């Protein structure tokens, strides 16, 4: 540098006078008690304000969360009740229709003539009813029927043991309401079954849970008896309430006037473990909704006997008040804190309650509260830190004068060794000093620049070579602070432009004649790194998004439960298949099929998620060889389908061999699967190479004569889990085509589709011949 620190105008004021300080600065720098205590008082004041704001925010947040949960609970409750009402009306309509059937009416009159078991068993009308009603009952899930006389004697049933016996289920029916409505649905009730073995004095007592839909049988407007259809509450009645099992803890159930549970509960195992329900007994009709006072699921032991436990808040309220809700939290039958809503159904004479664990319902709100509290702590620490810094500032200010002289002496050394270019100009833009780093970047010696017009020397033109007018230059105009525009360059002595980032700071904004100091740096490497970083960030964002989707779908070890379902399903099939009736076998087959489909879906999701996670380098791949391997894998299926496949000339490209095999395997298998009924599949695979602005691209088309699709679904079919056909028409998970497109995108290519209904589909794959050549 040519100027000495003692005489440089940028190091000291013109006259060397001390700067004028404000009253607040003098107060802060004073040693009195006000200057010492004031920062702490200000910090405490702001901490209190933040604490009050956080408390108000938490209150509003919890109120909003409870309001949202109330809306959700009431919606679930209404939907569940509506579903139950629809189901109940269907059952009542069924029995009402059969009660009006001429054959049923005639059979009742015939059987009423001799209501003795021997006569009833051998009566032709008895067999007629069993032949007439039996198949229909089996098809629609009923367990049996009772034809009852006016005096309550059972005249007809699928079981001979019921004949000539009193129909006790009439005790469960309000006959006046039945007469008005024409048909009613009873509540579930327990029937004791006594099994007497030969040689035993006392039989074994078992139980059965039943309910009935009952209707009056009339002839010429006069009631001559009743028809009742037997329903299994476990199979249908309690299933209508399962729609209310929202989330991981949501539960909707029904109770009677005593608080007894009329439906099965999802927490039956917990009731058994807590000793509130006997092993092997269903929760329906065997549990009363009572508050144990403690959480029995955590091993706590209630202090009072079961008979002294009060009904839960929900059970007591729905019985006494008819409807209501509680969002503050109360204990359910397990002693777990829940919130819920409830309503009494006067028509069915049951109370319906929907509940959810408080910890589950308020999980989001509690997380937000935690964030608010962390924020409050952070703000409090910030205010304390500011107070400490303010006090430290007082000490630093007192010492500033002592170090100013030493700082001025070191400034020249700093300028000489700074990693950034630094130079100064006067009011005319003439350079007054420059450090070695600036000279090195510009390729000049120091004496070649001192006294020169800096704008005319290094800033005269833009990157494209156009003239940069001096009046538009914000850097070398000394009156105002300025920064270089994006894409600004300095020109070196060799005539080469270098991208720079610079800032101009005037020594005195009110007097431009004093000049300015400009700092700049060469950002060539940074520009290159920023471009690479943006590319990597985009790729990482996309990859992370896909990994998150997969982690959500494949969490909680989905594979292991499915393997157990399949294993036990196979055992049940091998050991108990002959012991099951047709309905049981149907249920078993559906269970095994559902587990298999779920296993296939998880495998497809895993395959999809691995597309971008593969680290295999791209290698030269002969697509004709890949297609040959794929056709070899599919040979049994091609033979079975009697498919014809024509393969044209295919190019060689750089790609991941395994993913190319997977892509074409999915596409060809897709064409084989979506065939038209009665038409043998015909598939053609053609390839070509196109050269355009993006370089050489391989185009491969896979065309078939299958069912096709609407053109408007051309993008939809590549979505995850998207299916245009029902599973009963075509099997699959809806992941295969999404995986194909993901593989194409990983190879910097694209996959598109065209189709028409019953005219087939064409899948077009466009891939770079050389990876890295596409820009």
């Amino acid at each position: 540098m040519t100027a000495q620190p003692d005489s440089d105008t940028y190091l000291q004021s013109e006259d060397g006078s001390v700067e004028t300080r404000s009253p607040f600065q003098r107060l802060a720098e004073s040693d009195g008690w006000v200057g010492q205590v004031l920062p702490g008082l200000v910090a405490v004041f702001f901490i209190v304000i933040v604490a009050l704001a956080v408390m108000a925010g938490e209150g509003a947040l919890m109120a909003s969360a409870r309001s949202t949960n109330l809306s959700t609970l009431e919606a679930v409750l209404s939907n569940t009740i509506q579903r139950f009402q629809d189901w109940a009306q269907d059952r009542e309509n069924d029995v009402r229709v059969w009660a009006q059937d001429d054959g049923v009416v005639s059979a009742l009159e015939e059987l009423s003539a001799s209501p003795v078991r021997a006569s009833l068993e051998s009566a032709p009308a008895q067999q007629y009813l069993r032949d007439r009603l039996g198949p229909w009952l089996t098809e629609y899930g009923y367990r049996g029927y009772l034809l009852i006389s006016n005096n309550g004697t059972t005249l007809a049933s699928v079981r001979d043991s019921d004949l000539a016996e009193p129909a006790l289920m009439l005790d469960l029916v309000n006959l006046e309401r039945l007469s008005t409505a024409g048909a009613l649905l009873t509540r579930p009730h327990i029937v004791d079954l006594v099994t007497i073995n030969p040689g035993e004095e006392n039989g074994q007592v078992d139980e059965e849970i039943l309910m009935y839909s009952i209707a009056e049988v009339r002839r010429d407007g006069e009631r001559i008896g009743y028809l009742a259809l037997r329903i299994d509450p476990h199979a249908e009645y309690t299933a209508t309430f399962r729609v209310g099992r929202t989330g991981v803890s949501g539960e909707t159930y029904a109770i009677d006037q005593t608080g007894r549970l009329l439906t099965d509960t999802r927490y039956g195992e917990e009731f058994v473990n807590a000793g509130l329900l006997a092993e092997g007994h269903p929760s329906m009709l065997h549990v009363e909704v009572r508050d144990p006072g403690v959480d029995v699921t955590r091993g706590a032991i209630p202090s009072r006997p079961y008979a002294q436990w009060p009904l839960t808040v929900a059970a007591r309220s729905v019985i006494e008040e008819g409807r209501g809700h509680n969002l503050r939290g109360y204990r359910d039958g397990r002693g777990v804190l829940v919130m819920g809503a409830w309503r009494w159904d006067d028509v069915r004479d049951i109370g319906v309650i929907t509940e959810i664990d408080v910890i589950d319902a308020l999980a989001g709100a509690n997380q937000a509260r935690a964030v608010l509290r962390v924020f409050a702590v952070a703000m409090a620490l910030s205010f304390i830190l500011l107070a400490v810094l303010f006090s430290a500032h007082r000490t630093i200010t007192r010492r500033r004068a002592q170090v100013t002289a030493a700082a001025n002496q070191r400034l020249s050394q700093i300028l000489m060794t700074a990693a950034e270019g630094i130079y100064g100009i006067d009011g005319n833009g003439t350079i007054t000093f420059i450090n070695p780093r600036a000279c090195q970047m510009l390729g000049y010696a120091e004496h070649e620049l001192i006294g020169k017009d800096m704008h005319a020397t290094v800033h005269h033109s833009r990157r494209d070579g156009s003239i940069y007018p001096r009046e538009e230059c914000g850097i070398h105009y000394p009156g105002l602070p300025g920064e270089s525009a994006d894409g600004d360059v300095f020109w070196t002595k060799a005539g080469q432009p270098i991208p720079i980032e610079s800032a101009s700071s005037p020594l005195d904004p009110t007097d431009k004649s004093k000049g300015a100091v400009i700092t700049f740096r060469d950002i060539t490497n940074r520009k290159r790194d920023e471009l690479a970083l943006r590319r990597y960030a985009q790729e990482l964002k996309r990859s992370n998004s896909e990994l998150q989707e997969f982690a959500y779908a494949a969490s909680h070890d989905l594979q292991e439960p499915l393997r157990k379902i399949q294993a036990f399903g196979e055992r049940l099939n091998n050991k108990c298949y002959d012991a099951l009736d047709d309905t049981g076998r149907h249920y078993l087959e559906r269970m095994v099929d559902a587990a298999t489909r779920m296993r296939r879906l998880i495998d497809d999701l895993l395959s999809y998620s691995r597309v971008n996670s593969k680290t295999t380098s791209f290698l030269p791949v002969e697509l004709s060889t890949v297609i040959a391997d794929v056709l070899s894998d599919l040979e049994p299926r091609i033979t079975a389908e009697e498919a014809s496949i024509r393969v044209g000339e295919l190019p060689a490209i750089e790609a991941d061999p395994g993913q190319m095999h997977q892509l074409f395997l999915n596409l060809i298998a897709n064409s084989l699967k979506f065939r038209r009924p009665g038409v043998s599949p015909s598939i053609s695979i053609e390839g070509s190479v196109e050269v355009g602005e993006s370089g050489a691209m391989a185009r491969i088309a896979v065309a078939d004569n299958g069912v096709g699709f609407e053109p408007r679904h051309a993008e939809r079919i590549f979505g995850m889990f998207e299916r245009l056909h029902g599973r009963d028409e075509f099997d699959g998970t809806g992941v295969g085509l999404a995986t194909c497109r993901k593989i194409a995108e990983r190879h910097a290519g694209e996959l598109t589709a065209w189709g028409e209904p019953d005219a087939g589909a064409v899948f077009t794959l466009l891939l770079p011949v050389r990876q890295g050549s596409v820009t």
Side-chain angles (χ1 to χ4, degrees), residues 558-592:
L558 290 177
Q559 294 275 19
E560 183 59 24
L562 286 175
R563 281 194 291 267
K564 290 184 177 179
I565 292 175
Q566 289 180 306
F568 284 108
E570 291 173 358
R571 292 182 184 178
L572 186 61
N573 185 57
N574 294 335
K575 296 184 179 182
C576 304
Y577 188 82
D578 294 333
L580 297 174
D581 58 13
D582 291 341
T583 301
R585 295 172 183 173
H586 175 67
Y587 290 163
L588 176 60
E589 291 170 355
R590 290 185 62 183
M591 179 188 74
V592 175

Side-chain angles (χ1 to χ4, degrees), residues 521-538:
R521 63 172 65 91
D522 183 351
I523 59 172
T524 301
N525 293 335
R526 195 184 77 185
K527 286 288 187 181
R528 182 175 61 250
D529 294 341
E530 286 177 351
L531 178 60
L533 184 61
R534 282 196 296 270
R535 291 176 178 173
Y536 292 150
Q538 292 173 355

Side-chain angles (χ1 to χ4, degrees), residues 45-245:
F45 173 76
F46 281 109
I47 290 174
V48 171
I49 294 298
V50 170
L52 293 176
V54 170
M55 291 173 61
E58 285 189 3
L61 180 66
M62 298 307 294
S64 175
R66 287 191 170 89
S67 176
T68 301
N69 280 311
L70 176 59
S71 300
T72 302
L73 288 170
E74 290 183 340
V76 171
L77 180 64
S78 298
N79 291 338
T80 305
I81 292 177
Q82 184 60 50
R83 173 168 174 152
F84 168 67
Q85 293 288 7
D86 293 342
W87 174 82
Q89 289 175 6
D90 288 342
R91 303 289 82 76
E92 291 171 352
N93 288 338
D94 287 345
V95 71
R96 185 183 289 112
V97 169
W98 278 108
Q100 297 171 358
D101 183 80
D102 292 339
V104 173
V105 174
S106 300
L108 177 60
E109 291 177 332
E110 178 183 337
L111 295 172
S112 297
S114 180
V116 180
R117 174 172 292 185
S119 299
L120 294 175
E121 290 179 354
S122 59
Q126 190 74 238
Q127 190 61 42
Y128 167 79
L129 288 175
R130 292 177 180 178
D131 294 340
R132 179 83 183 280
L133 289 175
W136 182 88
L137 294 174
T138 301
E139 180 179 358
Y140 288 93
Y142 288 96
R143 301 297 299 274
Y145 67 91
L146 296 177
L147 194 59
I148 307 168
S149 66
N150 267 332
N151 63 4
T153 301
T154 302
L155 302 178
S157 173
V158 295
R159 298 185 295 200
D160 289 341
S161 59
D162 293 334
L163 301 180
E165 296 293 332
L168 301 180
M169 46 83 60
L170 288 178
D171 297 336
L172 304 173
V173 179
N174 186 323
L175 296 181
E176 293 182 1
R177 182 178 294 176
L178 174 61
S179 178
T180 301
L184 284 179
L185 187 72
T186 70
R187 292 199 305 267
H189 64 283
I190 298 176
V191 177
D192 291 333
L193 302 177
V194 180
T195 303
I196 301 177
N197 296 323
E200 293 185 2
E201 294 183 1
N202 298 320
Q204 182 180 359
V205 178
D206 201 352
E207 64 180 25
E208 183 179 14
I209 298 179
L210 298 175
M211 63 185 303
Y212 295 87
S213 59
I214 182 171
E216 292 182 341
V217 180
R218 293 178 175 270
R219 168 73 78 177
D220 299 329
E222 294 294 329
R223 188 187 68 214
I224 62 175
Y226 305 93
L227 174 65
L229 302 182
R230 184 182 297 120
I231 300 170
D232 180 4
H234 293 292
E236 294 189 41
Y237 170 76
T238 194
T240 62
F241 290 88
R242 291 198 182 106
V243 296
R245 294 182 180 180

Side-chain angles (χ1 to χ4, degrees), residues 688 690 697-700 744 747-752 764-768:
S688 62
E690 304 172 354
M697 302 292 289
R699 180 184 295 272
I700 301 95
H747 288 74
E750 63 180 25
L751 177 62
T752 58
T764 303
L765 180 65
L766 200 62
L767 295 173

Side-chain angles (χ1 to χ4, degrees), residues 1 5 8-12 404-418 422 433 435 517:
M1 295 177 58
D8 285 342
T9 59
Y10 60 87
L11 297 179
Q12 60 184 22
T404 298
N408 286 340
Q409 294 175 2
R410 292 194 301 270
L411 182 56
S412 293
Q413 296 177 347
I414 294 175
L415 291 175
M416 295 290 288
T417 59
I422 305 174
F433 74 91
N435 71 340
V517 175

